[in-house]
Amino acid sequence: GAVVSQHPSRVICKSGTSVKIECRSLDFQATTMFWYRQFPKQSLMLMATSNEGSKATYEQGVEKDKFLINHASLTLSTLTVTSAHPEDSSFYICSARVGLKNTEAFFGQGTRLTVV
Amino acid sequence: AQSVAQPEDQVNVAEGNPLTVKCTYSVSGNPYLFWYVQYPNRGLQFLLKYITGDNLVKGSYGFEAEFNKSQTSFHLKKPSALVSDSALYFCAVRDNSGNTPLVFGKGTRLSVIA
């Protein structure tokens, strides 16, 4: 199957700093990528849909100025958590889909963010 | 609006016994249904999907799932569980209109006991 690489896998940062998470599709072009957040023992919650070359579409309740998403190329989307706080600590997962219709989504390995 | 329900937080089964992880869904139009597995601190791995055709879908690692339209269910099954199957399982759905994201159930933790 298609490979999605997410980096870093773990990051610890100080409160008030910003953290960038990268999501790359290694062997296919992803016009759309999705960013999810997962709290412990909970499901994945969609944060935003990232479209190459255009602004991301954020889900209700997700602060677009705090979670900056850039999808500058067909193989790379980035999520930047700005001015991070401890409550932003979570597991962030990106996914990309090959094609539009009946294909499964492929997921990155996830990033464990800890804000201290 | 799309939604997925996984009624069981935890499923325990003895190694070698059959396992079932339940999933029901709600979607307007025809559903695309998926099962994913997640190991600790890892991303999701695709197991299988139902798009159209046969209601019984076979996937990775010996898993299968049966699409039941009248009951709006898509239960995950395996005839003989392995200890290595212990993980967190997510059911997901999307409708068939365009580039919509997946909506996930809350997950079911499967524990297979030797």
Side-chain angles (χ1 to χ4, degrees):
Chain A
V3 178
V4 175
S5 177
Q6 189 172 337
H7 178 80
S9 58
R10 289 178 180 270
V11 59
I12 301 172
C13 70
K14 291 184 178 180
S15 186
T17 62
S18 295
V19 174
K20 179 184 285 188
I21 302 170
E22 293 187 348
C23 181
R24 294 180 183 273
S25 56
L26 297 186
D27 51 1
F28 67 99
Q29 293 183 330
T31 54
T32 303
M33 290 187 178
F34 304 95
W35 287 94
Y36 293 85
R37 181 175 182 177
Q38 185 181 29
F39 291 101
K41 298 184 179 181
Q42 294 190 29
S43 187
L44 283 75
M45 301 302 297
L46 179 67
M47 298 176 66
T49 301
S50 166
N51 295 295
E52 186 268 337
S54 63
K55 292 182 178 180
T57 302
Y58 289 82
E59 295 299 299
Q60 190 174 5
V62 178
E63 299 176 60
K64 62 180 182 180
D65 294 329
K66 181 168 186 62
F67 298 99
L68 300 179
I69 292 173
N70 183 279
H71 195 158
S73 76
L74 288 171
T75 58
L76 173 64
S77 177
T78 60
L79 167 68
T80 301
V81 183
T82 63
S83 187
H85 289 97
E87 57 265 31
D88 298 326
S89 299
S90 191
F91 194 59
Y92 294 87
I93 305 177
C94 70
S95 81
R97 195 153 63 219
V98 179
L100 295 178
K101 281 291 190 179
N102 60 357
T103 53
E104 65 271 28
F106 295 94
F107 286 80
Q109 306 94 316
T111 298
R112 171 73 59 193
L113 170 63
T114 303
V115 185
V116 298
Chain B
Q2 301 162 131
S3 66
V4 175
Q6 291 181 245
E8 303 152 317
D9 291 335
Q10 174 94 28
V11 170
N12 298 319
V13 64
E15 187 175 32
N17 283 2
L19 69 87
T20 299
V21 182
K22 295 179 180 178
C23 171
T24 58
Y25 67 90
S26 174
V27 66
S28 56
N30 293 320
Y32 291 163
L33 293 154
F34 304 83
W35 275 101
Y36 287 85
V37 60
Q38 185 181 34
Y39 295 96
N41 291 312
R42 300 290 297 276
L44 275 67
Q45 296 178 31
F46 169 76
L47 281 179
L48 51 79
K49 66 181 178 182
Y50 170 82
I51 303 299
T52 187
D54 288 342
N55 289 342
L56 184 63
V57 178
K58 294 187 181 296
S60 306
Y61 313 119
F63 284 93
E64 58 188 31
E66 185 165 12
F67 170 62
N68 187 316
K69 188 172 183 178
S70 63
Q71 297 184 5
T72 61
S73 67
F74 190 57
H75 302 329
L76 181 70
K77 299 182 179 184
K78 187 173 182 180
S80 178
L82 300 173
V83 172
S84 57
D85 293 330
S86 299
L88 189 57
Y89 290 80
F90 290 100
C91 180
V93 69
R94 56 183 282 255
D95 64 33
N96 63 350
S97 61
N99 201 14
T100 53
L102 289 173
V103 173
F104 287 85
K106 62 183 175 70
T108 298
R109 185 162 300 282
L110 173 67
S111 291
V112 181
I113 304 162

